[in-house]
Amino acid sequence: MQLINHIGKTPMIEISEGLYAKAEVLNPTGSIKDRPASWILSYGGFDPDKYDTICEATSGNMGVSFAWLAATLGCTCVIVMPENMSAERKKTLEFYGAKLIEVEAGDFDRAIAVRDQLCEEHGWFNCNQFDNTWNVEAHNMTTGVEILNWAAEERREISAIVTGTGTGGTLMGTYKRIKPQFPNMRMVAVEPAESAVMSGEEPGLHGIQGIGDGSKFLVDMKCVDYIQKITTDEAKARARELAKTHGLFVGISAGANILAAERFIQNVAPKGDVVTFLCDRGDRYFSCL
């Protein structure tokens, strides 16, 4: 069976009473981005007989997912990435055979512009994760469904979904699927305090790779009930603690998610369970942690 068939169906882990995290670290490449990457290529117009190269702008995990999928499909993958992303991510991309193009630190607008230019000039397939509805649908049709199935089986009342926002696909997809079943559920968006764009502040450099890429992208702010800002240092510290106290070796954005969920529970005291995501593995961040 191909690895692509093992995307999703990740377990829910109890972090503390009323707080559960979906273990997306168990996807084939170790991150939640395997879900939307596979859907974009499966349903978004990619044809291996028409395109010999796929191209994406990314902070890392989506690029790794596309590089892996390109390797399984026998096509070339070109990734455009700000230079301040972790060395482990860059090495992983190269190991899958992807070609890496770097732009100035934190400049996702430039990365996207370079991607668009390359795709237009060479006729490559533009994965376009930041403006692709299949990104949202992947989480609507897989992540959200799995969370609802868990809630039904365990007889849980979902009071909030807490998630960091990079493209916004996870937030919007799970909202679309879960909100109709739990109308009182609140969506909590997590963003870096150093680049709090959703809070109306200016984009800035931060170290919570994978979220806070400088724009709202796919997020409809009418669907967001609460915004929680987390600093890079806080996210790193919480990620380290999760390894030592729970045996969960996860990335910096997962640390941010857990801390944001804990603060939401402390400050709001919701009636029901709070669900968040362990987005990726910690071994992509040795050089950062």
Side-chain angles (χ1 to χ4, degrees), residues 81-99:
M81 176 187 291
E83 63 184 3
N84 59 315
M85 298 300 105
S86 73
E88 292 83 2
R89 291 184 177 201
K90 297 174 186 179
K91 290 294 184 182
T92 302
L93 288 168
E94 293 172 359
F95 205 81
Y96 278 123
K99 178 182 178 182

Side-chain angles (χ1 to χ4, degrees), residues 58-243:
T58 174
S59 60
N61 281 331
M62 187 75 96
V64 170
S65 296
F66 278 126
W68 161 59
L69 290 166
T72 68
L73 293 167
C75 63
T76 301
C77 180
V78 178
I79 297 298
V80 188
M81 176 187 291
E83 63 184 3
N84 59 315
M85 298 300 105
S86 73
E88 292 83 2
R89 291 184 177 201
K90 297 174 186 179
K91 290 294 184 182
T92 302
L93 288 168
E94 293 172 359
F95 205 81
Y96 278 123
K99 178 182 178 182
L100 179 61
I101 299 172
E102 296 184 65
V103 299
E104 185 177 351
D107 195 349
F108 280 94
D109 288 339
R110 176 61 181 160
I112 292 169
V114 170
R115 177 204 65 190
D116 291 345
Q117 182 180 354
L118 289 170
C119 290
E120 184 175 351
E121 288 179 355
H122 300 287
W124 295 344
F125 180 76
N126 190 337
C127 299
N128 192 24
Q129 62 166 320
F130 298 102
D131 190 36
N132 196 317
T133 55
W134 288 111
N135 186 342
V136 174
E137 283 306 301
H139 295 291
N140 173 29
M141 299 300 294
T142 69
T143 321
V145 169
E146 291 170 27
I147 293 171
L148 283 182
N149 288 342
W150 166 81
E153 291 168 3
E154 299 294 327
R155 298 182 179 180
R156 300 286 179 179
E157 182 77 17
I158 299 176
S159 63
I161 298 288
V162 179
T163 178
T165 57
T167 62
T170 304
L171 187 151
M172 295 305 301
T174 53
Y175 175 91
K176 186 175 181 180
R177 175 61 57 175
I178 299 171
K179 184 71 170 179
Q181 300 300 318
F182 293 95
N184 294 323
M185 179 194 78
R186 281 173 280 193
M187 291 299 301
V188 182
V190 185
E191 64 176 350
E194 302 92 338
S195 186
V197 174
M198 288 185 293
S199 298
E201 300 175 21
E202 292 297 315
L205 288 175
H206 64 91
I208 311 179
Q209 297 177 40
I211 70 171
D213 291 341
S215 177
K216 301 179 183 68
F217 294 117
L218 293 166
V219 177
D220 181 352
M221 292 303 295
K222 294 193 295 294
C223 300
V224 177
D225 301 295
Y226 193 91
I227 299 172
Q228 179 66 63
K229 294 187 283 188
I230 302 292
T231 70
T232 297
D233 287 345
E234 289 173 331
K236 288 181 177 181
R238 192 68 187 97
R240 292 192 196 98
E241 289 171 1
L242 286 169

